């Protein structure tokens, strides 16, 4: 008996060690966006393919073929990000930097706004880039100007990055740099529409935007509010990294991660976990999600449904500084006596462990929604159904009733979302079928090689324009 007990103890320790190793690996190797459709399939197809001024490059590639970005070998690319953080824009630009480095591009990174005090996130991300061969350069100075002038391509990341142009480049050099600028825009919020940010937008080689909804919004808003015209604009849907897909397709790794994360949260294997994975803020809708979650528990009790225990997981907290929004979330859970069912997790580079451990993703971004919402396709890769707001790029990802369920943004979406939570909690087969359909959609449209092919077509056009100028 003693030998059997020792053997079981050894197996348990080995299992926990494997889980910790996997968690550490994914934290380092999986870049994410914390922060990612229509009932009529014909209208959805038209939305994705029939645009005049806004063009979406098509994709067809195989992992066995050479990279569609091979033509970027030896090209000097300057990337300018407004900040370096665990938010979507910077992480997406970093991922593109690594794709270009993989084909031999010379990539230089500039962060326009660096915190005055040492920041462990900035240090960690810069170290990751340096390790992958990306040069990190100060935003200002002669070296930055010289690199911008010599670069074959300059990628401005987000609307706010436009401030770097006037702050650093002499006026007589702007005409040299602007014709080779690709402006990658992710924002959907109205306060980004300021002349000081985007006054040079009409003169760059092109704009790249993650969804058709956002591209149309920018086209209309810049014309109506600012009186300026968008440059040639390309819509490029994002794709999941190979690293994340490897985890999503590894049943053993997912099972180990699921058990480990659930144990750390104090939930059982048969409990149902509904998670929202975005940096905590009013615009991401964590407050309305918790209201919906609370309502769903009330509905279950009123209808006397016999269901597993439901839990809400909020991934995207900042344990070092609890914001007003997060304090309100925690207070709501306590006031409504659901604090044992609501779990707050710090923001992280590695979402794979949490996607492996939950049952449903909630994408509850408010107002105009997400520009795209990378976390949505990451969840679908893990065969998770998605409960999303019917706004922004989410409508170009989630097929309502097939890969998930959509609900209105705003307070009017609280009850519909609550009903959808109960619906998926009550129907195991529906959850599994939607998750499988979502996975199939990812494999068809949202992989890294799809994104690389779409971006390659954009870069070829932009480089061609830069040469002509």
């Amino acid at each position: 008996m003693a030998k059997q007990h020792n053997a079981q103890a050894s197996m348990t320790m080995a299992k926990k060690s494997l889980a910790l190793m996997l968690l550490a690996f994914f934290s380092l190797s999986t870049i994410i966006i914390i922060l990612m459709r229509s009932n009529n399939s014909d209208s959805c197809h038209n939305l994705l393919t029939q645009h005049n001024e806004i063009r979406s490059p098509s994709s067809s590639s195989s992992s066995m073929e050479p990279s569609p970005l091979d033509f970027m070998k030896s090209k000097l690319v300057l990337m300018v990000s407004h900040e370096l953080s665990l938010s979507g824009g910077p992480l997406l630009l970093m991922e593109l930097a690594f794709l270009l480095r993989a084909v031999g591009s010379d990539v230089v990174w500039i962060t326009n706004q660096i915190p005055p005090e040492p920041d462990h996130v900035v240090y960690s991300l810069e170290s990751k880039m340096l390790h992958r061969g990306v040069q990190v350069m100060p935003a200002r100075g002669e070296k930055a100007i010289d690199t911008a002038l010599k670069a074959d391509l300059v990628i401005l990341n987000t609307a706010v990055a436009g401030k770097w142009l006037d702050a650093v480049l002499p006026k007589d050099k702007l005409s040299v740099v602007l014709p080779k600028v690709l402006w990658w825009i992710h924002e959907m919020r109205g306060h980004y529409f300021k002349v000081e940010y985007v006054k040079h937008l009409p003169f760059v080689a092109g704009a790249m935007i993650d969804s058709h909804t956002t591209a149309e919004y920018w086209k209309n808003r810049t014309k109506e509010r600012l009186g300026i015209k968008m440059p040639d604009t390309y819509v490029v849907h994002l794709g999941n990294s190979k690293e994340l897909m490897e985890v999503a397709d590894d049943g053993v790794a997912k099972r180990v991660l699921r058990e480990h994360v659930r144990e750390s949260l104090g939930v059982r294997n048969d409990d149902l976990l509904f998670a929202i994975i975005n940096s905590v803020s009013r615009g991401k809708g964590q407050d309305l999600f918790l209201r919906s979650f609370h309502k769903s528990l009330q509905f279950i009790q009123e209808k006397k449904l016999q269901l597993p225990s439901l839990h809400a997981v909020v991934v995207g907290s900042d344990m070092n500084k609890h914001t007003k929004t997060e304090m309100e979330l925690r207070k709501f859970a306590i006031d409504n006596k659901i604090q044992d069912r609501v779990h707050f997790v710090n923001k992280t580079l590695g979402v794979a462990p949490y996607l492996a451990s939950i049952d449903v993703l909630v994408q509850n971004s408010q107002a105009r929604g997400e520009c795209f919402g990378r976390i949505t396709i990451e969840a679908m890769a893990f065969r998770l159904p998605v409960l999303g707001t019917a706004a922004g790029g989410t409508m170009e990802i989630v097929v309502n009733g097939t890969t998930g369920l959509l609900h209105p943004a705003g307070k009017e979406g609280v009850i519909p979302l609550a009903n959808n939570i109960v619906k998926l909690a009550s129907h195991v087969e529906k959850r599994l079928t939607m998750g499988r359909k979502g996975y199939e959609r990812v494999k068809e449209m949202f992989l890294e090689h799809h994104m690389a092919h779409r971006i390659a077509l954009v870069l070829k056009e932009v480089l061609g324009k830069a040469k002509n100028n």
Side-chain angles (χ1 to χ4, degrees), residues 145-159:
I145 297 172
D146 187 54
T147 303
L149 295 173
K150 290 180 179 178
D152 297 290
L153 176 69
V154 178
I155 302 178
L156 290 184
N157 195 47
T158 75

Side-chain angles (χ1 to χ4, degrees), residues 60-71 103 242 449 452-453 456:
S60 60
S61 180
S62 166
S63 58
M64 300 301 293
E65 296 177 357
S67 170
L69 292 166
D70 279 343
F71 69 94
V103 298
K242 291 180 181 177
H449 72 82
H453 185 87

Side-chain angles (χ1 to χ4, degrees), residues 390-409:
T394 302
M395 296 180 67
E396 297 172 30
I397 305 171
V398 177
V399 181
N400 192 31
T402 301
T403 66
L405 298 170
L406 298 178
H407 57 274

Side-chain angles (χ1 to χ4, degrees), residues 311-432:
H311 292 258
V313 183
V314 179
V315 180
S317 299
D318 191 334
M319 300 303 183
N320 296 320
K321 50 178 181 179
H322 290 326
T323 63
K324 180 182 177 182
T325 300
E326 183 166 332
M327 296 305 292
E328 290 173 355
L329 298 179
R330 293 173 183 268
K331 185 177 185 302
F332 178 86
I334 294 171
D335 290 347
N336 290 279
K337 297 180 173 55
I338 58 172
Q339 64 269 31
D340 60 329
R341 291 175 178 262
V342 179
H343 311 271
F344 293 91
V345 178
N346 205 13
K347 60 178 65 174
T348 173
L349 272 176
V351 291
Y354 300 100
L355 293 174
S357 66
I358 66 175
D359 300 288
V360 178
L361 179 82
V362 178
Q363 174 60 278
N364 206 40
S365 294
Q366 296 300 302
R368 298 176 187 88
E370 288 288 321
C371 178
F372 183 79
R374 177 72 164 275
I375 189 63
T376 306
I377 59 173
E378 290 178 328
M380 289 162 63
F382 277 77
R383 296 172 173 81
L384 298 175
V386 177
L387 299 179
T389 47
T394 302
M395 296 180 67
E396 297 172 30
I397 305 171
V398 177
V399 181
N400 192 31
T402 301
T403 66
L405 298 170
L406 298 178
H407 57 274
K411 293 180 181 178
E412 58 267 35
V414 170
I415 297 301
L417 174 55
N419 287 327
N420 288 341
I421 289 174
V422 176
K423 186 180 296 184
L424 291 191
S426 305
H427 298 91
V428 178
E429 189 56 40
K430 185 181 289 290
R431 290 201 309 272
L432 296 177

Side-chain angles (χ1 to χ4, degrees), residues 189-202:
R189 307 289 179 261
H191 60 270
Y192 292 109
F193 288 84
K194 296 182 178 179
V195 174
E196 62 197 83
Y197 295 162
V198 298
K199 65 182 180 180
H200 297 299
L201 195 52

Side-chain angles (χ1 to χ4, degrees), residues 138-245:
R140 286 156 178 76
E142 289 299 323
K143 195 171 182 181
I145 297 172
D146 187 54
T147 303
L149 295 173
K150 290 180 179 178
D152 297 290
L153 176 69
V154 178
I155 302 178
L156 290 184
N157 195 47
T158 75
V160 185
K163 295 192 294 184
W164 178 83
L165 293 170
D166 287 318
V168 176
L169 297 178
K171 289 184 178 180
D172 62 326
K173 304 299 183 185
L174 276 171
S175 60
V176 179
V177 175
L178 290 178
K180 54 186 179 181
V181 168
L182 174 64
W183 207 322
W184 199 359
I185 296 173
H186 311 282
E187 294 94 336
M188 284 284 278
R189 307 289 179 261
H191 60 270
Y192 292 109
F193 288 84
K194 296 182 178 179
V195 174
E196 62 197 83
Y197 295 162
V198 298
K199 65 182 180 180
H200 297 299
L201 195 52
F203 311 107
V204 302
M208 186 166 69
I209 298 181
D210 305 333
S211 69
H212 293 288
T213 303
T214 309
E216 289 285 1
Y217 177 66
W218 270 85
K219 173 186 168 184
N220 296 332
R221 186 92 177 205
T222 49
K223 181 179 178 181
E224 295 167 2
R225 292 292 184 92
L226 304 179
I228 65 176
K229 182 181 178 181
M230 290 287 288
D232 287 338
T233 302
Y234 308 89
V235 174
V236 174
H237 283 160
L238 308 178
N240 286 327
S241 68
K242 291 180 181 177
E243 291 87 353
L244 182 123
M245 292 305 300

